Amino acid sequence: MSRTHGFAIATSAVSMALLLPPMLFSPPTSAAAPARAGGNQSPQELAAQAERGLRNATSVRLVYEDRSATARSSKRLPTAMDLALDRAGNCAGTMTLGGHGGTVQIVKRGTDVWLKPDAAFWKAEYPGKRGVGLATTFGNRYIHGSTSSNLLAGIASTCDLREIQDVAKVSAPSSLKEGLATTLNGTQVVPLSFQVNGFTSTLYVTTGKNHRLYRAAQKGPDTDLSLTFTGYNVPVPRTTPPAGQTVDISRVPQPPRS
């Protein structure tokens, strides 16, 4: 997996792309018992319906969490992200790095990108007095540029819902088993899970008439990841930062190589 560096924060999209296929695929074993929370549907049918709902969504709100020791100790890896994104590549939200590498507010409309890093981010990216100075210079201001910039290119894939939908086109394994229905943050869901190579992958699918993927999670050696999907088909906020609160990306120095 690539590491986050400077403003090239495609790492979060890479993390999501790596997480989703294991949620829906494992070597086939014995057939699972039929699911009850979904009526007469099997766990595979519930998972397939949830997968279709995600692939057909025009927009979603995605909350990403990585609670592994590696991510929490690294200033280059995201530990959390809360992002509204759509199929057109627009997005708005925040991303937090481990270590503590800081938090960045993100807005993207078309090819325009605005990032608002906090002081911790500047200090983590530019060690010593340089980082302190940049935190003061650019504090409470958005860095503005386009996805053609090398420093902002990673935002293009991070904000594109199509990237996630493309990796969700995987058939559910025959070993998928249903657990007892439960409630997560007020949403009633049924867990569908399987184990392979020491990892447990779980899809939490809503129990309503339209079975949607609410959360995908994976646990294993130094792995504790989850993606939560809400706000299906709710448009991404269109508000962009005013010019008076922005600084052009050309004013940001190239971060030092690690």
Side-chain angles (χ1 to χ4, degrees), residues 35-124:
R36 291 186 174 85
N40 295 323
Q41 292 179 295
S42 69
Q44 290 75 19
E45 290 169 334
L46 286 174
Q49 186 173 341
E51 177 221 347
R52 286 194 299 272
L54 177 60
R55 286 195 286 110
N56 292 334
T58 58
S59 59
V60 297
R61 178 188 173 190
L62 183 149
V63 175
Y64 169 86
E65 293 183 89
D66 186 343
R67 293 166 289 274
S68 68
T70 297
R72 286 187 284 108
S73 63
S74 173
K75 295 180 180 180
R76 305 296 189 193
L77 292 174
T79 58
M81 184 169 65
D82 187 340
L83 200 65
L85 66 165
D86 64 21
R87 290 169 61 88
N90 303 308
C91 71
T94 60
M95 187 181 73
T96 299
L97 301 171
H100 178 46
T103 297
V104 181
Q105 295 182 38
I106 303 169
V107 177
K108 179 178 177 291
R109 296 298 302 183
T111 59
D112 283 296
V113 178
W114 293 263
L115 300 180
K116 186 179 181 182
D118 64 4
F121 179 93
W122 291 113
K123 294 173 184 178

